[in-house]
Amino acid sequence: MMHPYRCAILATIALLALPLAVMAQSTTGSTNLSKGGSWSGSGQFGFAMTSGNSHTQNVNAKLNIKQENELWKNNFYLDGLRSRGDVTVVDSATGQSITQFSTTANRYEGGASVGYKFDPRSYLVTAGRYEHDNFGANLWQGVVSVGYGYILLKSAHTDLSVEVGPGYKRYQPAYTTEDINGQSITLRPPVQHEIVGRSLINWKWQFTANTRLEDTFLMEAGSKNKYYQNDLGLAVNMTQKLALKLGYQIRYNSDAQPGTVNTDKLYTTNLVYSF
């Protein structure tokens, strides 16, 4: 059964997304709002597999839907990562090293933000996100926040916006194992919760007709844990709808349990479909 707090986080994200569906209907029938403010999105997918001397399978996918017009600046996303490969383990019965085909990465995340504009550049934003990671510093983490956003630059080639504000976060630190009297015992640290400061910087640069650079930096900093994530991507359009994208993601948790590291890195090469 899903943890009650995780249900609450997912419900909050759904509530944040609900106004987006309502506004989508209203903008469809309104010429003023739909002009330059229609819904758009993209889906990206990457897959890699090896066989022979090594055996691996890697899949990552992401869906992003957004809208911006005179009144709203909204975003909704889902992404996932799963990887399997050959892992050397020690057989508890024989004590011999054996190779198993096991899951080595399993992460999924969803989030939404709704921004109401005071004027063409400044807006009030509410945001929520939930993440589950079987191999990260935290098994799961969820945060809801409210803040102030400002569009620093917006032109045909450059888009730069900043969001900052307080939020509330709960997270489950990763489980650890300990050898007690020859038996491996799983230890479950207590769930943590705290007030955090959230900051988001989003930058896009269209430097040629078919090539763009994107960078998104997220910070959720509290007294117990500081979380930073940066997503850098280079996309090259092959057609009006299809693009090839190279991505580099780095994630940092200041509070990591023994046996886990603070920093995770992800390199991707994906096919992107825009709609």
Side-chain angles (χ1 to χ4, degrees):
M1 183 177 294
M2 186 173 288
H3 192 281
Y5 179 72
R6 279 177 264 183
C7 291
I9 288 291
L10 293 176
T12 300
I13 293 173
L15 288 173
L16 288 171
L18 181 60
L20 307 186
V22 175
M23 290 182 290
Q25 295 179 350
S26 64
T27 55
T28 302
S30 173
T31 304
N32 292 334
L33 288 180
S34 62
K35 184 179 180 181
S38 59
W39 290 84
S40 63
S42 64
Q44 53 181 288
F45 179 80
F47 176 74
M49 181 177 69
T50 64
S51 60
N53 292 315
S54 64
H55 189 193
T56 62
Q57 296 176 353
N58 302 281
V59 176
N60 76 92
K62 186 169 185 177
L63 173 67
N64 187 279
I65 300 173
K66 60 183 179 179
Q67 181 205 33
E68 183 176 347
N69 56 33
E70 293 91 340
L71 294 177
W72 301 98
K73 182 178 172 64
N74 306 313
N75 184 67
F76 176 80
Y77 73 92
L78 294 169
D79 63 35
L81 168 68
R82 186 172 177 85
S83 177
R84 305 193 73 198
D86 293 331
V87 178
T88 302
V89 298
V90 177
D91 191 309
S92 58
T94 63
Q96 301 294 318
S97 295
I98 59 175
T99 299
Q100 293 182 341
F101 189 64
S102 304
T103 301
T104 56
N106 186 43
R107 184 174 79 222
Y108 55 87
E109 180 180 354
S113 65
V114 175
Y116 178 78
K117 289 186 177 180
F118 301 121
D119 56 52
R121 288 188 177 270
S122 60
Y123 57 96
L124 175 70
V125 60
T126 58
R129 77 175 187 94
Y130 172 78
E131 172 196 310
H132 181 97
D133 189 350
N134 290 92
F135 297 89
N138 296 317
L139 179 62
W140 58 263
Q141 54 184 323
V143 60
V144 291
S145 65
V146 61
Y148 174 78
Y150 192 78
I151 302 173
L152 296 170
L153 295 172
K154 190 166 185 66
S155 68
H157 301 287
T158 305
D159 191 337
L160 175 62
S161 62
V162 178
E163 298 174 3
V164 61
Y168 175 72
K169 184 174 185 176
R170 282 175 64 93
Y171 61 96
Q172 170 65 67
Y175 297 167
T176 60
T177 57
E178 185 175 333
D179 229 6
I180 300 178
N181 298 326
Q183 292 187 343
S184 182
I185 306 299
T186 299
L187 303 179
R188 177 177 176 175
V191 173
Q192 303 293 321
H193 57 92
E194 62 179 337
I195 301 297
V196 297
R198 175 187 178 271
S199 178
L200 180 73
I201 302 174
N202 192 20
W203 175 62
K204 297 178 182 179
W205 179 32
Q206 188 82 35
F207 57 91
T208 70
N210 65 342
T211 308
R212 69 183 182 274
L213 187 65
E214 304 174 352
D215 190 75
T216 301
F217 174 75
L218 172 67
M219 179 188 73
E220 296 165 353
S223 59
K224 298 177 183 178
N225 185 56
K226 295 174 178 60
Y227 176 75
Y228 308 105
Q229 177 177 324
N230 195 83
D231 291 270
L232 180 65
L234 177 66
V236 179
N237 284 7
M238 298 180 292
T239 68
Q240 188 175 2
K241 296 290 186 180
L242 289 176
L244 185 66
K245 184 175 182 179
L246 302 178
Y248 172 61
Q249 181 187 83
I250 183 167
R251 302 150 56 91
Y252 173 83
N253 279 281
S254 62
D255 184 19
Q257 299 297 310
T260 61
V261 298
N262 299 90
T263 304
D264 292 301
K265 300 176 182 179
L266 175 65
Y267 303 87
T268 55
T269 302
N270 289 351
L271 185 67
V272 182
Y273 176 76
S274 300
F275 53 89

